Amino acid sequence: MTCMETQRNMKLFIDDKLDIEQLEEFLLHIRSCESCREDLDVYYTILSSIKFLDEDKNSSEQMDVERFIKHAEEKIRRKHLRIIYKKIVIVVLSIVIALFIER
């Protein structure tokens, strides 16, 4: 993902509107591009502060950008684990079916 694409996706990231593939590319870029990371810090702080003010929430409840990024990375990790689990189930079921067919 380029810097321009990353800039365009910042609000989508903050609003949790990126699909898993977009999210992976976005986070990879954010982790490797200091300029985009700094922009995300500023943009996230501004947007999340406005959101919390609009919702009358305590600012101590506000998540910092690093925790927000880690939360997104965890979402990706869980998605990959679900895919692995599904593949394992398919393999196990295939073996069980093959054993029953041989009888």
Side-chain angles (χ1 to χ4, degrees):
M1 186 174 282
T2 66
C3 290
M4 187 177 287
E5 291 169 322
T6 301
Q7 295 291 326
R8 281 194 302 259
N9 285 325
M10 283 189 187
K11 180 150 179 21
L12 294 173
F13 170 70
I14 293 167
D15 291 340
D16 196 24
K17 303 274 189 207
L18 296 175
D19 65 34
I20 291 296
E21 290 78 23
Q22 292 170 318
L23 184 58
E24 285 180 297
E25 289 180 37
F26 180 86
L27 292 175
L28 183 64
H29 185 87
I30 288 296
R31 290 291 190 199
S32 64
C33 178
E34 186 63 32
S35 176
C36 286
R37 172 54 196 258
E38 289 172 4
D39 290 346
L40 177 63
D41 285 343
V42 171
Y43 200 51
Y44 178 82
T45 300
I46 291 168
L47 288 179
S48 62
S49 295
I50 290 170
K51 181 179 177 182
F52 274 86
L53 286 173
D54 286 345
E55 295 175 0
D56 280 336
K57 290 190 175 183
N58 185 343
S59 63
S60 65
E61 297 174 24
Q62 188 174 352
M63 191 182 311
D64 68 0
V65 72
E66 186 59 32
R67 283 181 47 211
F68 194 76
I69 289 170
K70 287 183 193 270
H71 177 73
E73 289 170 337
E74 180 62 24
K75 180 179 177 180
I76 291 169
R77 189 183 73 75
R78 285 191 311 268
K79 175 72 174 179
H80 286 294
L81 285 175
R82 280 193 300 272
I83 291 169
I84 291 169
Y85 292 147
K86 286 178 184 178
K87 288 179 180 180
I88 290 171
V89 167
I90 290 170
V91 168
V92 169
L93 286 175
S94 298
I95 291 170
V96 169
I97 290 170
L99 290 173
F100 280 117
I101 291 175
E102 286 182 5
R103 291 183 177 191

